[in-house]
Structures are given as structure tokens and as C-alpha cells.
Amino acid sequence: MLVAKGIYKYHGYFPVLRGVDLQVAPGEIVAVMGASGAGKSTLLHVLATLDRPQSGTLHLYGQDVLALDAHQLAKFRNRYIGFVFQFHNLLPEFTLLENVCLPGYIGGYDKADVEVRAHTLLVLLDIAHRAHHKPGSLSGGEQQRAAVARALINRPHIVFADEPSGSLDSKNATTLHNLFCKLRAELNQAFLIATHNPSLAGLADQKLLMQDGSLVA
């Protein structure tokens, strides 16, 4: 599903990613752990096509995504990729439900179907009662769960999640982790997760450590 080889990413002259090689199979959960500043977030952004590396190759579902132009890449990302940002990135002018539905609307999916799917996800994540509230009135944990629902709305083949349970209490973190496992089992979705949470990492098929821009098993 995902094959990355020799990925280098620099910030200025400083190498943040140093020749990363990684493969993710359909339905696989991969956890990337490591100290803050090791390059985990940069890795997820590059592999999810939100940022471009200076060198290396990246194939998703056999597609050379680095060869796509910006328009093609945006369509590909909307269809196949979900992303849970570390800092939520919800749009403040829209309700929680509208934020979750946005990728589906942009993708041209049937509006009613998108809203039914969104409601189902909000119920699973125990925030359906907040559907018509705007992000400014939500707790950090509620915003994080909304961001997870938004990432899942288009049934992406692979979900990249940057500290998805970082702002959740233990109960809601467990609910989220169980949801990831349920989706993997039912829809064969793959997950690549940057996390400090040992319980979440313990669910992974691959557990990798990032040190100084490189991955080790």
C-alpha cells in the first residue's frame, strides 16, 4: 500500500529525515515512537503528501505520488488519505458536524450520505451531542475526536495520525484505539501513527523508533 524509499527532508541545511525507508501493508497498524523533535511529524506530513521531500521515492497504491501536480495530488489525497493533525486544525466558523463533513463535500460525495456517515462517527466517538457546536466551545479532547472523525469520513485506505490520543483521557483514548482496530478489521484500513502512548503502540503490527531522522525497528 505504501512504499517509501530513501526519503530525505531538510529544514534549511538541517536534515530532519535521513534516508527513511518504510513499507505499510493494507490493514496494517504501524506506530512510530521517539522523542519530540526526532522527526515523527515531518515524516507523517511527507508520507501523507502534505509536504514534499528533497529526495526519495513514495508510492501509494502503486501511484508515484511525487509525480502528481498539486491539483492531482489534492484529489488523490481526498480520496485515499486521512490525516489526524496534532493540533486539530478545525475551522472555527463551522460547527463540529460541518468540519467533519467537509472532506466528503469537497470530494463530491452525496451530502446526505456524508452526514449519515459523520453522525455515525460522532456517536462512536461520543461527541454526537456536540454536533452543532463550534470548535471554540469544545474541549481539547472533543476537538481531537472531531479531527479523528473528519479524517475517517471518506473511508480512506490509509490514515496518518499525529499523536491522536495526546489530548484524551484514558477512557476516550481507549475508545479511539478500539475504533482504529475495528476499522482495520472491518474495512482493512491501514494506520500510520506517531505516538507517545505505549498502549496505542502496543496495538501496532510494526512498532518503529525514530531517532535523529531515521527509523529503527
Side-chain angles (χ1 to χ4, degrees), residues 129-164:
H129 61 292
R130 304 288 264 161
H132 300 292
H133 292 249
K134 292 187 175 180
S137 67
L138 304 177
S139 69
E142 289 169 335
Q143 291 185 51
Q144 183 72 329
R145 282 177 278 162
V148 170
R150 179 184 59 191
L152 296 172
I153 191 67
N154 284 350
R155 296 184 175 90
H157 292 191
I158 185 168
V159 176
F160 298 86
D162 194 358
E163 296 290 352

Side-chain angles (χ1 to χ4, degrees), residues 22 30 38 54 87 103 141 163:
L22 178 63
V30 179
Q54 271 75 31
F87 299 107
E163 296 290 352

Side-chain angles (χ1 to χ4, degrees), residues 3 5 9 12 17 21 35 53 58 67 170 173-175 181 186 190:
V3 180
K5 294 183 178 179
K9 178 67 179 177
L17 301 178
D21 296 331
L58 176 59
S170 58
T174 298
T175 297
C181 290
E186 293 183 357

Side-chain angles (χ1 to χ4, degrees), residues 48-188:
T49 75
L50 297 171
D51 199 0
R52 286 186 177 267
Q54 271 75 31
S55 61
T57 62
L58 176 59
H59 289 79
L60 287 162
Y61 324 113
Q63 173 69 57
D64 179 0
V65 294
L66 299 181
L68 300 177
D69 64 30
H71 177 70
Q72 292 169 327
L73 195 56
K75 289 182 66 176
F76 184 91
R77 190 185 304 119
N78 178 267
R79 175 64 184 85
Y80 294 106
I81 295 173
F83 199 100
V84 182
F85 294 93
Q86 187 172 359
F87 299 107
H88 320 318
N89 288 352
L90 300 176
L91 299 177
E93 65 269 29
F94 295 116
T95 66
L96 183 153
L97 180 65
E98 290 168 336
N99 268 282
V100 172
C101 288
L102 273 175
Y105 296 158
I106 292 169
Y109 297 100
D110 181 80
K111 185 174 184 289
D113 289 345
V114 170
E115 291 174 358
V116 168
R117 168 73 172 163
H119 180 73
T120 299
L121 288 168
L122 296 182
V123 170
L124 284 171
L125 292 165
D126 195 26
I127 47 173
H129 61 292
R130 304 288 264 161
H132 300 292
H133 292 249
K134 292 187 175 180
S137 67
L138 304 177
S139 69
E142 289 169 335
Q143 291 185 51
Q144 183 72 329
R145 282 177 278 162
V148 170
R150 179 184 59 191
L152 296 172
I153 191 67
N154 284 350
R155 296 184 175 90
H157 292 191
I158 185 168
V159 176
F160 298 86
D162 194 358
E163 296 290 352
S165 54
S167 60
L168 302 182
D169 59 30
S170 58
K171 176 186 174 183
N172 284 312
T174 298
T175 297
L176 178 61
H177 301 169
N178 290 339
L179 176 61
F180 286 169
C181 290
K182 175 182 173 70
L183 291 168
R184 183 261 287 275
E186 293 183 357
L187 301 177
N188 209 33

